[in-house]
Amino acid sequence: MNFSETDIETLRHAILQRETTTRAVVESSINAAEKLNDTLNAFLQIDRAGALRRADEIDASGDAKQSLAGVPIAIKDNICVRGLQTSCGSRILGPYHAPYNATAIERLNAAGAIIIGKTNCDEFAMGSSNENSAFGPVRNPWDTERVPGGSSGGSAAAVASGIVPVALGSETGGSVRQPASLCGIVGLKPTYGRVSRYGLVAFGSSLDQIGIFGRNARDVAEVLKVIAGRDEHDSTTADVPVPDYTSEIGGDIKGARIGVPRDLFGEGLDEEVRASVENAIEAYRDLGAEIVEVELPHAKYCIAVYYIIATAEASSNLARYDGVRYGFRAEESNELRSMYRRTRDEGFGAEVKRRIMLGTYVLSSGYYDAYYRKAQQVRTLIREDFLKAFEKCDAIATPTTPTPAFKIGEKTDDPLAMYLNDIYTCTANLASIPGISIPCGLSNDGLPIGFQLMGTYWSESNLLRLAHAFEQAQPFTERPRITAH
Amino acid sequence: MKNGWETVIGLEIHAQLSTESKIFCGCSTRFGDEPNANTCPVCLGLPGALPVLNRRAVELGARAALALALNINERSIFARKNYFYPDLPKGYQISQYDQPFSERGELEIMTAERDEGGHPREWLPLKVRITRLHLEEDAGKNVHEGLPEVDRFSYIDLNRAGTPLAEIVTEPDFRSSWQAYDYVNYVRQALQWVGASEADMEKGNLRCEANVSVRRIGDEKFGTKVELKNLNSVRYMQRAIEFEIERQIELIESGGRVAQETRLWDERNSETRVMRSKEEAHDYRYFPEPDLPPLIVSKDFIEEVRASLPELPDARRKRFAEEYGLAYADAVQLTQNRALADYYEEAARAANNSRGAANWIRTELLRELEAAGLTADKSPVRPEELGALLRFIEEGKISGKQGKDVLIEMFASGKSAAAIIEERGLVQVSDTGEIDAIIEEVLNSNPQQLAQYRSGKETIFGFFVGQVMKASKGKANPKVVNERLKEKLNK
């Protein structure tokens, strides 16, 4: 059985019918992870012993009825799994092992999912290419000279190459949807407050949200069903009922209204990407959806606003990495100030330092009103734009990224060009709304192209249903060069 | 203080709220446990951990705010105060900034200047404006002593990190160190009174900082203020302010200028010393805490808390003075804590004598309590029993002097007044027939003295009283003895 092509439902069916064992599934996944890691560098830690032990437990119990029983899953290395490393792709946390599980991990464990390892990512989730990892870049399975996107590039590459059917990533500004798009898979960023952030290492606390990668919408729905919902450890989770996302998938989508913000299809957008996304929109029209024009007049400020709010919060969130209690400490410091300075100088990479400095600046006395407060005001305007647009439509369609995957090293010297990769995605984080990226074609270079749908608060069900309908109409059957089989 | 100068003082108090668990996690707030025993991912500031607000801290914060006559905001915001220090695990303190839990209190306290010996002169009311009371978390503690290789290592105990605090800030409304002293004592008492805080400065669960400046009388502008820290008791604070006032006046009079800085009080050398200058002051980069939603408290909640508060010390003092006819100083003494005030009221009722009960508690009971290190609610002599004792004295069954001995034994043995009087056979003789018989006997056996008295030497009257008391073995009611003796002698 080729597990690298199998969806969760088929996998579970095979285990339940004893056509295979959990151990066989997990072993195949771990073998692939180990085999491909030299090429892809997608994993920072592979937990062969722990994963097989869990697999054997499920096989021995003879009870594989939980919704994710026996499903191998990869976890971004900024989500705490008890006993495994949580490096966040940073030297400063290098030796750190989490003593507790994130809430999402607790829920995955309870549902029988099997964590096979921790995936590489941009340092503290800061980046759009995975080149900011202290442990080397992840390579795109479609073209190993190219980036997989970021910051959750390891998780995206692991799913795209068929190592695991699903993986967790995290988003602060597009870090799931953008790599999903560059790797030709589905990536969902839920509504802020839908999934607990407890145990997700904070970057921009008002924007951060755990996201899900899968090869199809249904698999993503399976995982979301498990991890979503109110958590008493995270005061920003909402007490909103969690629907049965999988059962709400299916049926036709006649009458659904897809909003298209034409203004965003202009400058900087690659022609191939534009054509592919237009094609996807036409596919919805063919499925009976109504296509309506919408406006998001303040969306053009999103990069500026994002890089003020996210960096401000990051400058505070990353203050705890001071060498005092855990992680890396610079040696041979003989007094406190120099220990702080040297630990943070040697422990953080260039992009993290750039953002800490930006964030410190925008919060400092005399600049707060001009930057941070102003950015919060514009954030409100962006949110209002979306709410107004959602009066006219059920989902908004845009490209996920302006271009397909770029070459490793291509944008590392130009932070602004790098930041512009998030131009279509970071608005959803600012507006706290959900978004999903869905593969819709290949470029002439054989690189995947994705489009995204954004919906109003708590509309994940609707986004997954629309994504599924598209998958049925235009199945994305292409596979990358580097795969598990 | 020197003539022609005026002092301006504002105070900041940090009071630990008496919750069982910390403000943002479930760890215990117990004092004195093994270092770092009461910690978890949240209060250790581990990556990924998030704060969750403790409801009890909000309730106690509300009690504190209402006890100090502040207005509670129905919506307040937590904010991060960013700075680096090893005892601050997250690199920021979760506090409140531009939208605090409560604001704009106006409090009337009694204050008095003191003489050289520290005795109050005249008690006068003073209005104090309290700017705000907000909620925040405490930091941990750096330990530099009593551990291996302290010359090479510092240690950190995070048991205290995350303990809930109320920060209480006043306007610059104090004009002397004694006013500041009386205010801090008032706040301590009020917080204890409503059960919001133990407010014990020795244990560090109440800490105080003072902003002090001086100006020439008539000046409208405030002088440059100096922040005083390390004020480990109310008395230290008063002394530090006093020192600082003199220092600043001397500095200005000798042509110098006061620098805006933070100074530490050095109790051993009785002086303040520079800790950091304005240039070194932190930019805390406050911003709203994204991990916590706004704190919303309903009007109903505020009114529930208000209704559950006991009568506050100041109101009770005033009532004691009016209702029981006590001197203000006595009322102050009897309301130093809630247990004593409750004790007094019960004893006064049982004795049916409010002034008598006040005197006996102030002069006799408090001495015993203090010697035994007990508070009034732990007194072995219950208020009803003290009342019973006072009634025995009032009714003339025993003398006041006997009563004092009885009280001491009651305190030591826990027995009732009646039992001790009975055991000791202390019943006072007031029966005129019995006393007349003793007088008869005394007069008959002292004919010489009787003759002297009758010949006009009336000063010898005391001799007869003494003899009668002696013959009665001290049991005769002195008042009756006096009356009867006068009558017999003047016959």
Side-chain angles (χ1 to χ4, degrees), chain B residues 9 19 76 111 189 220 232 242 246 283-284 326 404:
Chain B
I9 304 162
T19 54
S76 64
T111 182
Q189 192 196 12
E220 276 179 26
N232 295 324
E242 209 53 48
E246 296 305 318
D283 178 356
Y284 290 118
L326 305 183
K404 289 180 184 178

Side-chain angles (χ1 to χ4, degrees), chain A residues 166-169 176 186-188 190 210-214 219-220 223-224 227:
Chain A
V166 282
L168 292 193
V176 167
V186 177
L188 172 74
I210 286 177
I212 304 161
F213 293 101
D219 283 0
V220 169
V223 176
L224 182 63
I227 65 174

